[in-house]
Amino acid sequence: MKKKHLMWDVDGTLLLTGGAGMQAMLQVIKDYYFLDAFAFQSSLAGRTDSEILKSAVTFIRGRCHLSEVASLIIRYQMELPKWLPKYQGRIMKNVEKTLQYFQKEDSRYENCLLTGNIRMGAKQKLAHYKLDHYFNFDHSVFGELAEDRRDLARIALQRLQIAEQGATAADLIFIGDTINDVLCAQAIGARCLIVLDGSSKKREDFVEVAPWKILDALPDNPADLERLLDEA
């Protein structure tokens, strides 16, 4: 049976790490550049790890080589597991029951990921909260593949079209919590469902980008979400 792919974002959509991810990055930057203190110049929400690190290096050094970002990514995935237990994060409301529901063998939807997190970082975060087994990682797209989140959507569609004859953007449904999630989906003409439960944004912040739907939180009954997804 052909399935549609739910492209879940991680941070702010599935879970919140309580700041563990950011602290792991700050530790890597401190160790690599011998900085006692560093502050990111803008919010990390909705951005790819590769873009965040490139921007940080460029700010520190005035330039950035890809090899430098690659080194930082390796250090980050070694550092992140040390920080996750130190912070009190949480899984968003109704996330686990929703993932369980769509994992059923007869489901017409498949849980995948489209996240700015690098692949290992996403796995580490999801494993820490015992959610990693709900996702098809082979059909997922991660932040080391491109700096621009919109390019991640293009990669996801290209991969799907290679794997499934006749696949279109309508077979990918993006679920996120930031404006960048909406822009990502719109780059390929796909739908984006915004869930505000873990977002730093409010409904009015999304007026200009016009996502397909906005929910305050995932429904208590996952079947209600399925009916919503079936609308288009």
Side-chain angles (χ1 to χ4, degrees):
M1 177 178 62
K2 182 179 178 181
K3 297 188 177 189
K4 292 191 175 183
H5 303 268
L6 302 180
M7 308 304 289
W8 293 89
D9 172 51
V10 176
D11 298 287
T13 302
L14 295 171
L15 56 87
L16 291 171
T17 66
M22 182 175 69
Q23 290 303 319
M25 277 196 177
L26 288 172
Q27 186 65 50
V28 168
I29 292 169
K30 177 181 178 180
D31 293 344
Y32 201 89
Y33 298 102
F34 305 103
L35 293 174
D36 290 332
F38 176 80
F40 292 107
Q41 302 305 297
S42 57
S43 171
L44 308 190
R47 298 166 64 193
T48 65
D49 285 351
S50 54
E51 191 273 327
I52 291 168
L53 290 169
K54 181 181 178 180
S55 296
V57 174
T58 302
F59 180 79
I60 294 166
R61 293 169 55 88
R63 64 188 188 280
C64 180
H65 298 292
L66 291 178
S67 59
E68 211 161 348
V69 173
S71 295
L72 291 174
I73 284 175
I74 292 170
R75 285 174 177 254
Y76 170 66
Q77 67 188 30
M78 294 171 64
E79 193 70 31
L80 181 59
K82 303 175 188 176
W83 289 90
L84 285 168
K86 297 180 181 180
Y87 284 79
Q88 186 62 49
R90 65 185 176 95
I91 301 172
M92 296 297 99
K93 181 181 178 182
N94 295 328
V95 158
E96 189 154 19
K97 66 165 71 173
T98 300
L99 296 177
Q100 289 174 344
Y101 181 85
F102 288 116
Q103 195 186 36
K104 295 185 301 183
E105 189 173 342
D106 62 348
S107 174
R108 290 173 288 106
Y109 296 91
E110 180 179 54
N111 294 315
C112 303
L113 298 161
L114 192 144
T115 172
N117 283 273
I118 60 171
R119 183 186 182 96
M120 183 57 71
K123 275 194 170 184
Q124 289 166 336
K125 289 178 181 180
L126 292 167
H128 182 75
Y129 292 95
K130 298 180 174 56
L131 297 176
D132 54 314
H133 60 286
Y134 291 116
F135 298 94
N136 184 329
F137 277 78
D138 291 336
H139 291 169
S140 298
V141 179
F142 304 93
E144 67 266 37
L145 296 177
E147 293 174 25
D148 190 323
R149 199 181 185 100
R150 291 169 295 184
D151 287 334
L152 297 183
R154 297 180 182 110
I155 291 169
L157 179 56
Q158 289 167 359
R159 284 183 172 180
L160 183 60
Q161 289 174 332
I162 291 170
E164 299 179 10
Q165 186 175 5
T168 69
D171 297 314
L172 297 169
I173 302 168
F174 294 72
I175 306 176
D177 67 296
T178 72
I179 290 171
N180 280 342
D181 291 300
V182 183
L183 297 177
C184 176
Q186 290 176 345
I188 60 169
R191 290 179 287 164
C192 181
L193 170 66
I194 290 294
V195 184
L196 296 174
D197 187 25
S199 179
S200 60
K201 301 294 184 181
K202 299 178 180 179
R203 280 180 179 266
E204 52 266 33
D205 296 321
F206 292 93
V207 170
E208 290 189 7
V209 294
W212 172 62
K213 299 284 185 181
I214 301 178
L215 299 177
D216 292 326
L218 292 174
D220 292 335
N221 184 355
D224 292 336
L225 177 60
E226 183 177 39
R227 282 189 284 272
L228 181 66
L229 297 174
D230 286 344
E231 286 184 9

